[in-house]
Amino acid sequence: MSYAGFWIRTLATFIDVLILMVIITPLLYLIYGDAYLAQLAPTEEMKSSLGFWDTFINYMVPVVFTLYFWQKFAATPAKMLLGLKVVDAETGANINFRQSIIRYVGYYVAMLPLLLGVIWVVFDKRKQGWHDKMAGTVVIRK
């Protein structure tokens, strides 16, 4: 297996975030109108949620998006575009739903200590971040 390194995985994440912004921003604008755009403007005070749909869509759409693509295609759209795939670390098979959930939650764990668990990909021989280690997954080049 040819493991995908830190920079290509970072690029894939950046592209996926852009895709999610293209989905989420118009959706929330349809619900909240100009109030949503005003919330996006930089100010000195912290912004709070505009309401249920703001919080729900901003948290649930990324979860559903990511889990769906990992289960259906073994990769998010950006990983597919870049020729990457998330697979079981031992068998090389597509990951199961349990691994997907653990991997997704593992991202939060990996990011908490100053992104150390994500940066770990740079130093690991199989290019695994903490989220990969927790879920028993690796990201490979097809």
Side-chain angles (χ1 to χ4, degrees):
M1 283 192 260
S2 175
Y3 303 114
F6 177 79
W7 289 113
I8 195 159
R9 291 173 66 169
T10 300
L11 177 61
T13 300
F14 180 74
I15 293 168
D16 283 331
V17 167
L18 289 176
I19 291 168
L20 283 166
M21 284 175 55
V22 167
I23 295 167
I24 291 171
T25 302
L27 189 56
L28 288 174
Y29 181 76
L30 285 172
I31 296 168
Y32 295 107
D34 290 336
Y36 179 69
L37 296 180
Q39 181 197 32
L40 296 177
T43 63
E44 292 179 17
E45 62 188 60
M46 287 288 291
K47 303 271 187 350
S48 63
S49 172
L50 289 174
F52 172 79
W53 290 112
D54 184 19
T55 302
F56 183 80
I57 290 170
N58 272 304
Y59 286 96
M60 291 311 296
V61 167
V63 171
V64 171
F65 172 89
T66 303
L67 296 179
Y68 171 78
F69 278 98
W70 284 347
Q71 288 300 288
K72 184 82 172 165
F73 305 104
T76 58
K79 280 187 175 64
M80 287 188 280
L81 178 71
L82 297 171
L84 307 178
K85 194 173 177 184
V86 181
V87 298
D88 183 90
E90 300 306 315
T91 66
N94 289 354
I95 63 175
N96 60 41
F97 190 69
R98 180 179 171 276
Q99 286 175 299
S100 294
I101 295 288
I102 293 169
R103 190 170 195 271
Y104 194 90
V105 171
Y107 274 122
Y108 291 97
V109 174
M111 288 186 229
L112 283 176
L114 302 172
L115 300 176
L116 180 61
V118 176
I119 296 168
W120 199 260
V121 170
V122 173
F123 306 105
D124 190 81
K125 67 180 180 198
R126 295 199 308 174
K127 309 288 185 208
Q128 288 178 295
W130 292 356
H131 54 290
D132 291 310
K133 290 184 177 298
M134 290 170 66
T137 61
V138 291
V139 179
I140 60 170
R141 294 174 181 271
K142 286 198 243 176

